[in-house]
Amino acid sequence: MTLTSQTIAGEEAPASPFPWWTSLLLGAFSVIFGIVVLAWPGLSLRVMAALVGIWLLLAGLFRIVGAFLPVGRGLARSVLSGLVGMILVVAGVICLRNIVTALGVLAAIVALTWLLGGIATFVMGLQETGGARALLLVVGGLSVIAGLVFVFTPGLSLGVMIVLTGVSGIVVGLSEIALGFRLRTVTA
């Protein structure tokens, strides 16, 4: 056995790149995060909405600052960057003043992500000739459907997103905890 590997169940396996306790702590944090999200879904949505507002505000400010920095871009690009920045700042302020608006923006962002990602995946499936074609078409189609669900039922969709976030936090956290204990027994 080398210094860079461990023996797990009689097989040589690479050593963990991180200490076992980091996996344990990350898992515990993830489980707590999942429980908090499930226990307070309304608060979780408001926090996510506030983060969207802050993101829009900061993105706008960076665009505005970037418009005034001399980077060798033309005047039209600088003006466009400044205008987009102002729109983003206004959208960010509106979202921070009205959480319902921010929730709508959040639902729209998620919907666009699912729709555009699904369309791109579906187009890749149409261009594919191998065994991955059917899988790409199905995944693309499901992604488009998920995007349309977010477009037409944003309230229900955001609720489902919160539940999935909470449950996945708990499941991933428990997996990380199990990994941490397994790494502890291997390295001990």
Side-chain angles (χ1 to χ4, degrees):
M1 180 167 69
T2 64
L3 291 175
T4 60
S5 63
Q6 306 288 330
T7 302
I8 300 176
E11 296 179 21
E12 191 109 345
S16 172
F18 51 87
W20 65 270
W21 56 267
T22 59
S23 182
L24 191 66
L25 288 175
L26 176 62
F29 175 76
S30 295
V31 168
I32 291 168
F33 169 75
I35 291 170
V36 167
V37 167
L38 291 175
W40 294 292
L43 177 63
S44 300
L45 275 176
R46 286 193 294 276
V47 168
M48 289 174 69
L51 290 175
V52 166
I54 291 169
W55 171 67
L56 289 171
L57 184 65
L58 290 176
L61 290 174
F62 284 120
R63 287 272 189 159
I64 292 170
V65 169
F68 290 103
L69 295 177
V71 186
R73 297 184 293 178
L75 178 63
R77 289 181 81 183
S78 293
V79 169
L80 182 60
S81 179
L83 287 174
V84 169
M86 290 189 307
I87 291 169
L88 290 172
V89 165
V90 169
V93 169
I94 290 171
C95 285
L96 289 172
R97 290 185 54 105
N98 185 350
I99 295 299
V100 173
T101 301
L103 286 172
V105 170
L106 178 61
I109 289 171
V110 172
L112 283 173
T113 301
W114 282 107
L115 279 170
L116 296 177
I119 291 169
T121 304
F122 195 82
V123 168
M124 285 190 300
L126 291 174
Q127 296 171 347
E128 185 69 35
T129 58
R133 179 184 180 123
L135 184 59
L136 286 169
L137 292 172
V138 168
V139 169
L142 290 174
S143 182
V144 168
I145 291 169
L148 291 173
V149 168
F150 265 87
V151 166
F152 294 113
T153 60
L156 173 66
S157 303
L158 289 172
V160 169
M161 185 176 71
I162 287 294
V163 170
L164 290 176
T165 300
V167 169
S168 64
I170 292 170
V171 170
V172 169
L174 291 174
S175 300
E176 285 284 340
I177 290 170
L179 176 64
F181 281 123
R182 178 69 177 143
L183 289 174
R184 180 177 178 220
T185 60
V186 169
T187 58

